[in-house]
Amino acid sequence: MTLYTDQNSLLKALLPYRNSKKIGFIPTMGALHEGHISLINKGLEENNVVVVSIFVNPTQFDNAGDLKKYPRTLEADIALISTLKGTVFIFSPDATDLYQGKVASKHFSFDGLEHEMEGKHRKGHFDGVGTVVSLLLKAVRPDKAYFGEKDFQQLQIVKKLVEIENLPTKIIGCPIVRESNGLAMSSRNKRLSPKQFEAAAIIHETLSEVNQKFKTHSIAQLNALVQQRFSKNNDLELEYFEIANVKTLKTAKHKRKGNNYRAFIAAFAGKVRLIDNKALEE
Ligand code: AMP
């Protein structure tokens, strides 16, 4: 493991890997957990070197409190990565080095993907994500970059970004890693009380029930079922539940043959916002 805090030294270190060797990349905001590690291990299996960026990107936060409280644990992250087998470069720049000037978002159009779900609820979020992922992909120039299905909308948007900007990197989606109670692992879980942590299991339980009933129930029935389940839970507040078309991410009102769907939830445990999703099998 080697730590780089500026683009120039990272670029120099990557030079010997540029021609015949493969470079994998995993962008993160740190406070690493098993979900991140699964992406890093996949990258290590498929490449000669893996770059893990650790950068809490200010431009993708629409809530100053959330940005301030976002866990920052660089030393523990370095220690965790040091236990892995393989060559890992950690890239942890400060904002001015990465942005090379004004720390601000560019505006993107991702064929409407950016207006659904997270886009509706977190203003400017995907402009921030698009901006930072574009800067990082241009800085690292990896062969493959790995993103979790935990942030499924982000994964689809990054695939679109690479298409729009004609970048040579292949984007690989990786399955969601969960806690033993089913809660999707997230850096934000560190902010949950033990009671909230247990209560948050409702998110995955609900997604699993929706999946089990997807064949036999209408979307309206499933929407009602989810609203009812959350209304009985005092620890979690549902922000949205959506069944969406996996390609367009548009809300599905009725199932149509030949389309694939996924169920998405965003919910608050106190001030901590949690998201999760699940593929629906017909
Ligand atoms: P973050 O640090 O939250 O920005 O996440 C960095 C990457 O790790 C993103 O591609 C996430 O989708 C992915 N990721 C986060 N949590 C999980 C998880 N529980 N399982 C799989 N991937 C995850």
Side-chain angles (χ1 to χ4, degrees):
M1 189 291 303
T2 320
L3 173 66
Y4 298 94
T5 54
D6 69 281
Q7 293 193 44
N8 282 342
S9 50
L10 176 72
L11 279 187
K12 268 192 210 139
L14 285 173
L15 270 180
Y17 293 90
R18 283 287 170 215
N19 290 328
S20 54
K21 296 193 171 145
K22 297 281 176 220
I23 300 171
F25 178 44
I26 293 93
T28 83
M29 297 206 296
L32 301 181
H33 51 67
E34 286 302 314
H36 297 116
I37 298 300
S38 72
L39 270 55
I40 299 171
N41 279 331
K42 183 138 174 77
L44 285 169
E45 277 166 31
E46 297 183 350
N47 301 277
N48 302 94
V49 63
V50 161
V51 178
V52 178
S53 63
I54 297 181
F55 177 67
V56 182
N57 175 36
T59 65
Q60 72 189 66
F61 284 80
D62 64 334
N63 177 324
D66 191 25
L67 171 62
K68 201 169 157 215
K69 291 210 176 101
Y70 200 87
R72 289 157 172 92
T73 61
L74 185 60
E75 273 182 28
D77 293 346
I78 291 172
L80 183 56
I81 287 182
S82 302
T83 65
L84 304 178
K85 283 207 178 75
T87 309
V88 181
F89 293 169
I90 298 179
F91 178 43
S92 181
D94 63 26
T96 43
D97 179 76
L98 185 62
Y99 278 77
Q100 299 280 307
K102 199 170 171 219
V103 182
S105 291
K106 282 204 312 191
H107 179 64
F108 290 91
S109 172
F110 296 115
D111 284 355
L113 294 174
E114 73 280 17
H115 299 312
E116 307 300 327
M117 298 183 288
E118 293 297 285
K120 277 186 203 147
H121 293 271
R122 300 184 70 188
K123 267 214 157 322
H125 174 63
F126 288 119
D127 279 341
V129 168
T131 304
V132 77
V133 173
S134 169
L135 287 167
L136 286 165
L137 289 176
K138 286 170 188 163
V140 179
R141 288 192 285 121
D143 296 282
K144 292 181 181 174
Y146 300 81
F147 289 81
E149 287 180 349
K150 154 89 175 13
D151 303 280
F152 189 82
Q153 187 172 11
Q154 170 177 280
L155 168 64
Q156 301 300 74
I157 280 179
V158 170
K159 286 182 178 164
K160 187 64 72 186
L161 170 77
V162 163
E163 203 181 294
I164 294 169
E165 298 209 326
N166 211 4
L167 300 172
T169 301
K170 187 167 180 208
I171 303 301
I172 316 279
C174 302
I176 302 172
V177 179
R178 299 181 177 282
E179 303 284 356
S180 55
N181 69 354
L183 176 64
M185 286 193 180
S186 163
S187 306
R188 289 187 172 86
N189 293 355
K190 290 191 170 71
R191 292 175 55 203
L192 298 174
S193 70
K195 185 164 177 266
Q196 286 172 326
F197 182 89
E198 282 316 312
I202 188 183
I203 299 173
H204 182 245
E205 283 161 16
T206 304
L207 291 171
S208 298
E209 187 179 354
V210 167
N211 184 32
Q212 275 161 23
K213 295 191 167 156
F214 190 60
K215 267 190 199 142
T216 51
H217 288 57
S218 69
I219 290 182
Q221 284 171 321
L222 294 170
N223 283 335
L225 178 153
V226 173
Q227 295 296 335
Q228 211 203 5
R229 236 176 180 276
F230 272 85
S231 68
K232 288 192 203 136
N233 187 305
N234 294 327
D235 296 296
L236 268 274
E237 195 188 326
L238 183 65
E239 186 178 43
Y240 66 77
F241 166 73
E242 300 235 356
I243 292 178
N245 178 307
V246 289
K247 282 212 180 108
T248 62
L249 298 182
K250 288 203 182 307
T251 310
K253 296 221 167 70
H254 306 283
K255 296 179 236 176
R256 283 187 211 287
K257 268 218 150 46
N259 286 346
N260 290 316
Y261 299 98
R262 226 168 155 102
F264 296 82
I265 285 181
F268 281 94
K271 289 210 162 98
V272 185
R273 188 171 183 276
L274 302 169
I275 59 168
D276 199 353
N277 67 87
K278 199 171 190 65
L280 299 175
E281 295 142 32
E282 281 209 82

